[in-house]
Amino acid sequence: MSKRLKNKIPVMRGIIIIVICVIPLITRSQNRFTIQGRLNKLNDSTKVYLQYPDTSGFAFKAVDSTLIINDQFSFILKNNVPEKVFLTINHKNIASPPTDDSYQLPVYLMSSNSSLLVVSNTNNIKDAMVTGSKNNKDYTTYHNLLKPLEKESQALLAKFKARGDGALKDTLFMKELISQRDIQNKGFLDLALQFMRKNYDSYVALEILQSSFVHGFLNHNIAESEFDKFSLELKKTNLGKWISQAIINSKIEPRGDGPRVGNN
């Protein structure tokens, strides 16, 4: 999709993507984890990459790789272990992870067992289930809740594309489309808030709060109110500290990005 198209009809996926990609991370006090995988539909000698966040915490890069042998693989993580890693299937070199999340699986290490099991019965690691991680269970639950809304979002985008090059010039068509997009956006935000408010002990919920705030769907008053309800352990993570500072900065330099939940 072109940059212009995204600006005209931003079918809202920010809350989803941010959970996968743009998260400040820290290292855990526990310094050893084992990730064992069983990927039943991938060929032997397919490479699996282990991705860690860089020093900024906002980008991930491959730090290790292994081959699938007899449908299985494993990684041992020791020393300076982050809150979350990605497992990636990629046929390029180790320094070039995919440009999207099509073949990536987040594995949450916070509030998890020291041994985690990753199992997939498809040829896509993204479909794998992670056993031994509370936050991965939360992640799966949230994304299953999102699926009907994602389907509606894709249908709206297909409607726009089907209109062809003249879509942006058709004022009535675009007005109707944007109205439908706004309804969908509200649905995404309502779901995000509902999930957050039932899971103040979840790192995934904290990620959702960050996403909602960064993308301008919540103002600093609501973001601060929600953040205060999270556990102290989560507030002390780099993600928690980042959100806290972002809320303070927003009070000092209010954003002019239009109406948000919590605006007066």
Side-chain angles (χ1 to χ4, degrees), residues 71-232:
D71 299 332
Q72 299 181 51
F73 71 91
S74 66
F75 288 104
I76 296 176
L77 289 63
K78 296 186 292 185
N79 302 322
N80 299 323
V81 177
E83 302 284 356
K84 181 177 77 173
V85 298
F86 281 96
L87 297 179
T88 302
I89 298 294
N90 183 22
H91 300 290
K92 298 180 181 180
N93 62 67
I94 194 169
S96 303
T99 56
D100 58 29
D101 64 346
S102 300
Y103 298 96
Q104 294 182 331
L105 175 74
V107 177
Y108 291 86
L109 303 177
M110 183 173 188
S111 302
S112 73
N113 299 337
S114 60
S115 180
L116 298 99
L117 179 63
V118 176
V119 179
S120 176
N121 292 313
T122 76
N123 62 359
N124 193 338
I125 196 169
K126 186 178 180 180
D127 300 326
M129 297 295 295
V130 180
T131 303
S133 168
K134 174 193 179 300
N135 281 293
N136 268 95
K137 183 178 179 181
D138 292 343
Y139 172 87
T140 300
T141 298
Y142 180 61
H143 281 262
N144 284 339
L145 292 171
L146 283 173
K147 285 180 180 179
L149 294 175
E150 285 187 289
K151 187 175 180 179
E152 293 177 8
S153 180
Q154 290 301 317
L156 189 63
L157 181 59
K159 182 178 180 179
F160 176 84
K161 289 181 176 180
R163 193 72 171 189
D165 295 337
L168 295 175
K169 297 178 182 179
D170 189 331
T171 304
L172 291 178
F173 174 77
M174 288 305 301
K175 183 178 180 180
E176 178 186 354
L177 207 67
I178 290 171
S179 176
Q180 292 175 24
R181 177 211 60 190
D182 290 344
I183 292 172
Q184 288 183 0
N185 283 358
K186 184 178 184 302
F188 276 107
L189 181 58
D190 288 347
L191 181 58
L193 288 171
Q194 289 170 19
F195 185 86
M196 255 193 302
R197 289 167 177 169
K198 293 179 180 179
N199 295 278
Y200 288 122
D201 62 342
S202 171
Y203 191 82
V204 173
L206 193 66
E207 289 180 326
I208 295 169
L209 174 60
Q210 185 211 32
S211 167
S212 303
F213 183 54
V214 166
H215 284 79
F217 303 125
L218 300 176
N219 79 348
H220 61 254
N221 292 322
I222 298 298
E224 184 173 43
S225 175
E226 294 299 324
F227 180 67
D228 285 345
K229 297 168 186 173
F230 279 86
S231 69
L232 183 60

Side-chain angles (χ1 to χ4, degrees), residues 14-32:
I15 288 179
I16 306 168
I17 297 173
I18 202 77
V19 167
I20 301 174
C21 299
V22 189
I23 307 299
L25 301 168
I26 67 168
T27 57
R28 291 173 47 83
S29 57
Q30 185 172 330
N31 60 8
R32 183 183 175 94

